[in-house]
């Protein structure tokens, strides 16, 4: 019943669909090399107020369109993105950082959050790809989407839903 959309560039933008009321706090511009903003919201939930940081970090794609060189050059960009966005969080609120991290559990952005006490909710329950792409030699898949939370929150269930027409699968 609660939705908001923010258009951003050719990729379309960001969306929030929620069962609970939320307040938009800020849209945070990406740092140099980043392609997408982050969106900070506060949700009024049955367990109290939560802070949500909706992210879409830089894909593993170079400026010239190469996945090979992008694999090696974009981790530093994702690190810069998450460190910039993290600085906007209210440290007093229980927090979820959610979205397309474009990296696995061992990536620099996930590592940045883990060093600050955050936990991967998906990692506590299953090891499933959240992204897939058909190629001429078969489907490539990876775990690129995450729900990461402060220790003040406890995940009781997390799953990847095999649904939709996107190359990304919903993480619930």
């Amino acid at each position: 019943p609660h939705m908001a959309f923010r258009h951003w560039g050719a990729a379309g933008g960001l969306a929030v669909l929620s069962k609970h009321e939320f307040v938009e706090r800020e849209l945070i511009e990406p740092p140099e090399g980043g392609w997408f903003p982050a969106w900070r919201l506060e949700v009024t939930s049955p367990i109290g107020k939560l802070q949500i940081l909706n992210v879409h970090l830089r894909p593993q794609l170079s400026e010239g369109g190469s996945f090979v060189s992008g694999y090696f050059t974009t981790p530093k960009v994702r690190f810069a993105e998450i460190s910039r966005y993290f600085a906007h969080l209210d440290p007093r609120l229980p927090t979820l950082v959610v979205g397309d991290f474009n990296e696995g559990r061992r990536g620099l952005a996930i590592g940045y959050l883990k060093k600050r006490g955050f936990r991967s909710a998906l990692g506590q329950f299953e090891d499933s790809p959240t992204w897939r792409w058909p190629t001429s030699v078969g489907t490539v898949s990876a775990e690129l989407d995450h729900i990461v939370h402060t220790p003040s929150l406890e995940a009781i269930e997390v799953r990847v839903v095999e649904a939709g027409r996107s190359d990304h699968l919903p993480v619930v």
Side-chain angles (χ1 to χ4, degrees):
H2 306 282
M3 297 183 276
F5 303 89
R6 288 289 189 116
H7 180 73
W8 188 269
L14 299 167
V16 175
L17 308 163
S18 178
K19 293 179 182 179
H20 307 290
E21 288 186 46
F22 61 86
V23 175
E24 299 176 58
R25 289 296 178 209
E26 63 185 315
L27 190 68
I28 308 163
E29 295 276 332
E32 185 177 337
W35 289 0
F36 310 105
W39 200 1
R40 190 171 73 86
L41 310 114
E42 287 179 13
V43 176
T44 304
S45 80
I47 62 169
K49 190 182 291 188
L50 300 174
Q51 177 175 225
I52 310 289
L53 183 65
N54 183 355
V55 301
H56 184 181
L57 303 182
R58 171 75 182 264
Q60 298 175 356
L61 190 64
S62 73
E63 292 296 335
S66 170
F67 285 103
V68 176
S69 64
Y71 178 82
F72 296 103
T73 59
T74 59
K76 291 183 271 182
V77 175
R78 287 188 292 280
F79 181 85
E81 288 172 310
I82 202 67
S83 58
R84 176 184 179 114
Y85 302 149
F86 186 86
H88 288 259
L89 295 175
D90 182 341
R92 299 168 296 176
L93 292 175
T95 301
L96 296 171
V97 181
V98 303
D100 182 357
F101 280 66
N102 273 307
E103 66 179 25
R105 290 182 201 167
R106 290 180 179 81
L108 294 178
I110 295 289
Y112 179 92
L113 294 171
K114 284 184 176 179
K115 285 182 182 174
R116 283 146 186 86
F118 282 67
R119 300 177 186 154
S120 168
L122 187 59
Q124 296 172 47
F125 290 91
E126 61 178 272
D127 190 15
S128 297
T130 63
W131 170 85
R132 74 264 197 239
W133 191 261
T135 71
S136 60
V137 294
T139 300
V140 179
S141 62
E143 185 183 277
L144 302 180
D145 305 277
H146 302 277
I147 298 173
V148 184
H149 62 88
T150 51
S152 59
L153 297 171
E154 180 182 349
I156 56 172
E157 179 188 9
V158 180
R159 58 191 162 82
V160 177
V161 180
E162 289 280 343
R165 298 176 63 198
S166 172
D167 54 329
H168 291 267
L169 299 169
V171 181
V172 180

